[in-house]
Amino acid sequence: MKRLMQMVVLVFGLAVLLAACGGKSETPLSVSDKVSSTDLSAEQGGDVELGMTEKELVDKLGKPERTMNDGGRTFLFMYEDYQYTTMDSKVIGYSIGPEVATAKGLRLGDTKEQVLKQYGDEYYTLGDSIGYIDKTKRLSLDFKLKDDKVVAINLTSLALYE
């Protein structure tokens, strides 16, 4: 089961990388004016802060289990509990693994109902995901759902979609 969850997180991370490649599909940034702002300031990516350099990331956490590049400006640095997305050598987001939770305690495997209870009704829907935008911090928190269960959780700077 843990291996399956890691694969789901990996696939979601790759989707984030591909979103950075452009295109005309809707993104959290393109739908941000359709929802009210949600305070996401308590969200933490482990000991890593958004805006850190790749060097600071590796200095803090050690060598990643794996890295991936889309051939462009974005990279994934994969560790056991988090996958960090970087763009232009700065951390701009992360996906959480099966052993960690959001600031409000949500984990992979929780239900859509639990997400709504913790984060509220001011969410956007993109494909199989629902998400929240912090307009002040310029962040999106995305919950990928399958059969109303959370299969991936990703926090990303809206700068990824510009």
Side-chain angles (χ1 to χ4, degrees):
M1 182 66 168
K2 182 176 179 181
R3 196 66 156 151
L4 175 63
M5 293 304 251
Q6 287 175 331
M7 286 303 296
V8 168
V9 170
L10 174 63
V11 169
F12 191 71
L14 290 173
V16 170
L17 275 177
L18 293 174
C21 295
K24 297 198 187 286
S25 63
E26 283 192 313
T27 68
L29 181 62
S30 70
V31 298
S32 66
D33 61 339
K34 297 176 183 172
V35 295
S36 295
S37 187
T38 300
D39 181 8
L40 300 175
S41 60
E43 300 300 330
Q44 292 280 143
D47 292 331
V48 174
E49 296 178 22
L50 298 185
M52 277 182 147
T53 66
E54 290 174 353
K55 181 180 181 335
E56 290 169 328
L57 172 68
V58 174
D59 286 349
K60 187 161 213 135
L61 299 181
K63 183 180 177 192
E65 294 174 9
R66 177 192 252 167
T67 59
M68 297 182 79
N69 174 258
D70 67 351
R73 300 168 37 199
T74 57
F75 279 85
L76 278 180
F77 286 73
M78 291 172 249
Y79 293 90
E80 186 173 338
D81 290 334
Y82 294 91
Q83 280 186 29
Y84 298 97
T85 303
T86 66
M87 184 170 71
D88 298 330
S89 300
K90 299 238 187 236
V91 176
I92 60 161
Y94 61 85
S95 297
I96 70 169
E99 302 301 318
V100 294
T102 68
K104 294 189 177 188
L106 291 172
R107 298 178 177 276
L108 300 178
D110 285 345
T111 64
K112 178 179 179 182
E113 182 180 325
Q114 289 170 291
V115 173
L116 298 179
K117 184 177 181 182
Q118 292 300 319
Y119 287 91
D121 294 327
E122 281 299 321
Y123 63 90
Y124 61 82
T125 303
L126 292 175
D128 295 337
S129 297
I130 63 171
Y132 298 86
I133 303 282
D134 185 324
K135 295 179 182 185
T136 304
K137 296 277 188 189
R138 296 191 33 80
L139 299 172
S140 69
L141 179 62
D142 190 87
F143 296 88
K144 177 137 176 84
L145 302 170
K146 182 174 182 180
D147 300 324
D148 275 346
K149 296 267 188 198
V150 176
V151 295
I153 302 171
N154 189 53
L155 182 112
T156 309
S157 167
L158 292 178
L160 176 67
Y161 306 106
E162 293 176 333

